[in-house]
Amino acid sequence: MIGSIAGDIIGSVYEWNNLKDKKFPLFQAASVFTDDTVLTCAVADSLLSGISYVEKYKEHYSLYPTVGYGPNFESWARSNSADPYNSWGNGSAMRVSPIGFAFNNLEEVMGEAEKSAAITHNHPEGIKGAQATAAAIYLARNNSTKNEIKEFIIKHFDYDLHKKIGDIRPNYVFDVSCQGSVPIAIIAFLEAEDYEDAIRNAISVGGDSDTIACITGGIAQAFFGIPDDIREMAIKKLDERLRAIVVAFERKYMNRED
């Protein structure tokens, strides 16, 4: 989970100032958490508290209303409606990482990922993006190889994962769809040597940098772990409320005590 949050924070300064290379500082004074982090914490908070995703999404929006939500989510969060709006956007994938860490069999992960997505993103592509991300995290933390993760995602979600970051990078443009960003995020992980390299791959593509790095970061954490210095920098960028959710989630689901 903190791997996703770190990816979001690192990518926050590059979303509207895209890079096309891997040489950049990970954290800057201007690096901040965005809606990706807030809604990731909302999912974690729902799992910890047993309170519904609808309630937690709307609660966290009300607590952090100016961190960069998409217009459709913002309209939904402000309304009295709990009806989904058929989105295929990558918001379903950016917030799903806690589910990949919290559940202990793939069937539960897939079902809960769909549930967390369909609250808003009930379009098949929105559900698919969340399930693919959560499944990759689950497989990564359970000692699957990169090739096993790749083949599972191709077989079950029909994403094209055969391209290389170096080939994608020159012509990739801003794309907020699951189908246009989740495969890119997974490829960024598959080509990486470690957590930091995965984040650098993700941001170097350009486009929706914070969200791609957020999705990549969750998978990379599950597979490689996250360096202590990157984790601590990300934690320091959170406020007390979000930090408490991260710590409680790690204690319950990841056996971390500090």
Side-chain angles (χ1 to χ4, degrees):
M1 175 184 174
I2 191 62
S4 297
I5 290 169
D8 172 45
I9 294 169
I10 294 166
S12 64
V13 296
Y14 302 113
E15 180 179 9
W16 304 113
N17 297 283
N18 280 174
L19 298 176
K20 291 291 183 175
D21 65 61
K22 295 172 63 172
K23 297 178 181 179
F24 54 85
L26 292 182
F27 293 95
Q28 302 179 42
S31 302
V32 294
F33 65 82
T34 77
D35 58 321
D36 302 46
T37 290
V38 170
L39 293 178
T40 295
C41 287
V43 170
D45 198 7
S46 177
L47 295 176
L48 289 164
S49 67
I51 297 171
S52 73
Y53 292 122
V54 169
E55 290 177 79
K56 284 300 178 182
Y57 293 165
K58 287 179 177 275
E59 175 189 330
H60 279 70
Y61 170 79
S62 69
L63 291 168
Y64 304 94
T66 61
V67 292
Y69 305 94
N72 290 332
F73 180 86
E74 192 164 28
S75 295
W76 176 85
R78 287 178 173 177
S79 75
N80 294 320
S81 174
D83 295 334
Y85 48 88
N86 201 39
S87 177
W88 35 254
N90 56 23
S92 61
M94 77 187 189
R95 68 195 185 204
V96 79
S97 68
I99 290 169
F101 286 104
F103 291 88
N104 290 319
N105 68 68
L106 193 52
E107 183 179 359
E108 286 184 315
V109 167
M110 297 279 275
E112 198 67 20
E114 178 175 3
K115 182 180 174 183
S116 75
I119 299 300
T120 52
H121 293 56
N122 58 324
H123 188 283
E125 292 291 346
I127 292 170
K128 180 176 165 181
Q131 288 184 317
T133 303
I137 291 170
Y138 173 82
L139 293 170
R141 73 178 178 89
N142 282 283
N143 302 314
S144 293
T145 66
K146 286 184 181 179
N147 192 59
E148 287 169 340
I149 296 167
K150 178 179 179 179
E151 293 305 315
F152 180 89
I153 298 299
I154 291 170
K155 178 180 179 180
H156 289 272
F157 301 103
D158 198 32
Y159 284 155
D160 181 2
L161 302 181
H162 295 102
K163 298 176 182 177
K164 298 294 184 183
I165 289 293
D167 297 326
I168 296 166
R169 186 183 292 124
N171 299 310
Y172 187 74
V173 296
F174 203 93
D175 189 336
V176 299
S177 70
C178 274
Q179 55 270 40
S181 54
V182 174
I184 306 302
I186 296 172
I187 292 169
F189 152 70
L190 290 171
E191 285 194 23
E193 298 177 357
D194 54 28
Y195 176 86
E196 181 177 333
D197 193 41
I199 296 300
R200 291 187 181 280
N201 283 342
I203 291 173
S204 75
V205 173
D208 193 3
S209 298
D210 60 331
T211 297
I212 294 174
C214 180
I215 296 167
T216 299
I219 306 169
Q221 178 193 359
F223 190 85
F224 298 112
I226 182 170
D228 287 342
D229 60 335
I230 294 178
R231 179 185 180 276
E232 291 308 311
M233 285 297 296
I235 287 286
K236 287 177 181 178
K237 291 284 187 176
L238 302 179
D239 67 8
E240 185 176 350
R241 181 185 292 109
L242 297 179
R243 192 178 303 122
I245 292 171
V246 171
V247 170
F249 183 87
E250 290 181 336
R251 284 177 177 167
K252 181 169 182 178
Y253 294 110
M254 303 175 72
N255 300 314
R256 187 177 181 112
E257 293 302 327
D258 62 353

